[in-house]
Amino acid sequence: MTRPAYRRAEPDARRQSLIEAAARVLADRGAAGASVRTICAEAGVSPGLLRHYFDGIDALIAETYAWAGERVSRALEEAVADAGPEPRARLTAYVTGSFRAPIADPDLLATWIAFWSLARSNPAMEAMHRQVYADYLGPLEALLTECGVPAGAARMQAVAVTALVDGMWLELCLAPGVFSPEEASATARDWIARLLG
Amino acid sequence: MTRPAYRRAEPDARRQSLIEAAARVLADRGAAGASVRTICAEAGVSPGLLRHYFDGIDALIAETYAWAGERVSRALEEAVADAGPEPRARLTAYVTGSFRAPIADPDLLATWIAFWSLARSNPAMEAMHRQVYADYLGPLEALLTECGVPAGAARMQAVAVTALVDGMWLELCLAPGVFSPEEASATARDWIARLLG
DNA sequence: CGCTCTGTTATACGATCGTATAACAACACC
DNA sequence: GGTGTTGTTATACGATCGTATAACAGAGCG
């Protein structure tokens, strides 16, 4: 009855479990509580192992942000795909998708905040942020162009739509109850209607 | 020639100098670098003094946020006051003011991020955030009503305008250069024009 | 079965964290 | 000009931080 003291995991699975543990710790203890020890404990792993898979805790936070960002992007892409071929319906789906699960999740904000706090002082993190931001802007700009927004204006309109959605998403996560996800969604649709005329 | 080793300050002045030192440290070292010691060193004061004026470092961060928030509110109020009596011009001034000094300042974002990171796990901080947010929303809602937005819609439209402005402000601070303050300002005016018809 | 590789743990180190405490000294007051 | 109040400093404490290191042990392979 000598069961193994630990078991080896697939390298990718172990990395992923650390990333998800980091997201969980960020979610319920905040950036201040996200230390090497707490994250590794959450992952059920010894503290020393973190450095075996990541350059350091900042690198883990960055990868957690990238992973969460991809998850958000994928959710939005699916929402758009489910909306059918009509451009305007696709744009509406993109915009309102941010106010539904799994994106409208206060826990998710914790990852963003932790990363923003790194991005402001670490050039490599800032570059990663620019990349993720560009990946948001791109598809949205294409969607707007399909909806008839002039090519020259599409870029800044994509910036504005993103700002509107992110701004409401932020407050929805920071202070839930001030307005509802449904109100946010309806207001965003209203603004889109005004934009497209 | 025995000059004083230190000088006593007016209680309010000392508090204020600690608050401003906290803002400076947050600005150029980020939330991770804003410790009791670094902040007190920045203020030219011994570490122990912080607790003489504040309950702890989190309380100081909160007061720094409140102070910065009031400064922003005041700047916006001045911009509105300078815009004259015409409601629409006042609204435009309010909106575009966020993209000019002293608000469009990447350093300012550091204070917000540090506070957000506290607000998500500390109920007292969340309450303070709600207060500051309400203080933003109120005047804007009044402005929108003056511009002819129906009373029933003014609240969510104020939420939306705030979101649009804050969202662009955030990206402007996080990744300067992707778009310019002037572009942000022009786009915000464009959206306001669509909103008011 | 025994060897090898390496994922994993246990432990320790120096640094820094927020805070508590007591001595010191500036300034107001009589 | 002593004297008292208290703003301020200096120092120390225990906890926790991120990381380095060496020993251990799981798992594949001959």
Side-chain angles (χ1 to χ4, degrees):
Chain A
M1 204 52 196
T2 58
R3 94 188 136 168
Y6 62 91
R7 70 181 183 81
R8 297 194 169 195
E10 294 276 329
D12 288 351
R14 186 67 86 189
R15 273 181 68 87
Q16 189 56 30
S17 78
L18 281 166
I19 287 173
E20 295 180 19
R24 283 195 303 273
V25 170
L26 282 172
D28 57 50
R29 308 173 67 148
S35 66
V36 173
R37 285 170 175 80
T38 54
I39 292 173
C40 286
E42 173 72 24
V45 134
S46 158
L49 196 59
L50 190 147
R51 292 264 309 166
H52 190 76
Y53 287 100
F54 301 94
D55 274 350
I57 192 170
D58 285 1
L60 172 55
I61 300 293
E63 296 229 23
T64 302
Y65 170 74
W67 169 72
E70 282 165 21
R71 222 161 53 107
V72 166
S73 285
R74 202 170 321 121
L76 289 178
E77 282 167 19
E78 283 175 17
V80 169
D82 290 351
E86 214 265 312
R88 190 141 165 181
R90 292 162 65 85
L91 178 60
T92 301
Y94 190 93
V95 163
T96 60
S98 295
F99 304 117
R100 286 201 311 265
I103 299 180
D105 176 7
D107 288 350
L108 207 55
L109 177 59
T111 297
W112 259 250
I113 291 176
F115 182 78
W116 286 340
S117 134
L118 295 179
R120 253 195 42 86
S121 49
N122 183 329
M125 304 284 173
E126 193 199 323
M128 175 178 280
H129 162 74
R130 291 185 125 95
Q131 182 63 50
V132 170
Y133 185 52
D135 288 347
Y136 276 117
L137 241 42
L140 185 54
E141 188 179 344
L143 233 39
L144 286 168
T145 305
E146 286 176 38
C147 287
V149 173
R155 178 168 182 74
M156 270 314 290
Q157 296 297 4
V159 166
V161 171
T162 301
L164 174 68
V165 170
D166 287 358
M168 289 200 285
W169 171 77
L170 184 77
E171 287 302 335
L172 216 39
C173 293
L174 266 181
V178 174
F179 55 91
S180 70
E182 290 73 23
E183 286 178 305
S185 199
T187 305
R189 284 198 304 273
D190 174 51
W191 282 51
I192 291 292
R194 294 175 191 275
L195 174 64
L196 301 183
Chain B
M1 204 52 196
T2 58
R3 94 187 132 162
Y6 62 91
R7 74 179 180 82
R8 295 195 173 196
E10 294 276 328
D12 287 352
R14 186 66 86 187
R15 274 181 67 87
Q16 190 55 30
S17 79
L18 281 167
I19 286 173
E20 294 181 18
R24 284 195 302 275
V25 170
L26 281 172
D28 57 52
R29 308 173 69 149
S35 66
V36 172
R37 283 170 176 82
T38 54
I39 292 173
C40 286
E42 173 72 25
V45 133
S46 158
L49 195 58
L50 189 147
R51 292 264 310 169
H52 190 77
Y53 288 99
F54 301 93
D55 273 349
I57 190 169
D58 285 1
L60 172 55
I61 300 294
E63 296 230 23
T64 303
Y65 170 74
W67 169 72
E70 283 166 22
R71 220 162 53 107
V72 166
S73 286
R74 203 171 320 123
L76 288 178
E77 282 166 20
E78 283 174 19
V80 169
D82 290 352
E86 213 267 311
R88 190 142 167 178
R90 291 162 66 84
L91 178 60
T92 301
Y94 189 92
V95 163
T96 60
S98 295
F99 304 116
R100 287 201 310 264
I103 300 180
D105 177 6
D107 288 351
L108 207 54
L109 176 58
T111 296
W112 259 250
I113 291 176
F115 181 78
W116 287 339
S117 139
L118 296 179
R120 251 194 43 84
S121 49
N122 185 328
M125 304 283 173
E126 194 200 322
M128 175 179 280
H129 162 74
R130 290 184 127 96
Q131 182 63 50
V132 170
Y133 185 53
D135 288 347
Y136 276 118
L137 241 41
L140 185 52
E141 188 179 344
L143 233 41
L144 286 168
T145 305
E146 286 176 38
C147 287
V149 173
R155 177 164 183 78
M156 271 313 291
Q157 295 296 4
V159 167
V161 170
T162 301
L164 173 69
V165 170
D166 287 358
M168 289 200 285
W169 171 78
L170 184 77
E171 286 303 334
L172 217 40
C173 291
L174 265 180
V178 173
F179 54 92
S180 71
E182 291 73 22
E183 285 177 306
S185 198
T187 305
R189 284 197 305 274
D190 173 51
W191 281 50
I192 290 291
R194 293 175 192 273
L195 175 64
L196 302 183

